[in-house]
Amino acid sequence: AGPAAAAIDLVLLDLNLPERSGKEVLAEMRRRAWSQPVIVFSGQLTAETEAELHPLGVSGFLAKPFRIAWSCRTNGSGINPFF
């Protein structure tokens, strides 16, 4: 990963993007050796989607709509999911 990636502490990634899927973006991040924690959010999260994304190192999932005070499920990566 380059210097730009090193400056990023956390990625919030929507699965439904206009030109690429969030899964494609996440796969590209991992191919480029970006190791930052990623929290995925979507209005259509399913158990199958979560299972597909876990091998790509997703740290947590957040269902839309959400409020400022939100919580998410994490995979034990040490992220405090409560804001």
Side-chain angles (χ1 to χ4, degrees), residues 12-72:
L12 298 174
L13 181 61
D14 194 333
L15 286 182
N16 301 311
L17 301 171
E19 296 184 23
R20 297 175 76 175
S21 74
K23 183 178 176 183
E24 291 172 324
V25 171
L26 180 57
E28 181 64 25
M29 289 171 56
R30 297 310 187 216
R31 275 194 292 277
R32 293 178 183 226
W34 285 36
S35 59
Q36 288 83 355
V38 176
I39 296 177
V40 169
F41 61 95
S42 175
Q44 293 93 27
L45 280 177
T46 65
E48 293 81 18
T49 302
E50 291 183 23
E52 288 176 13
L53 296 174
H54 270 295
L56 294 173
V58 172
S59 299
F61 298 92
L62 182 61
K64 293 192 299 188
F66 52 88
R67 299 177 192 264
I68 296 298
W70 55 271
S71 65
C72 66

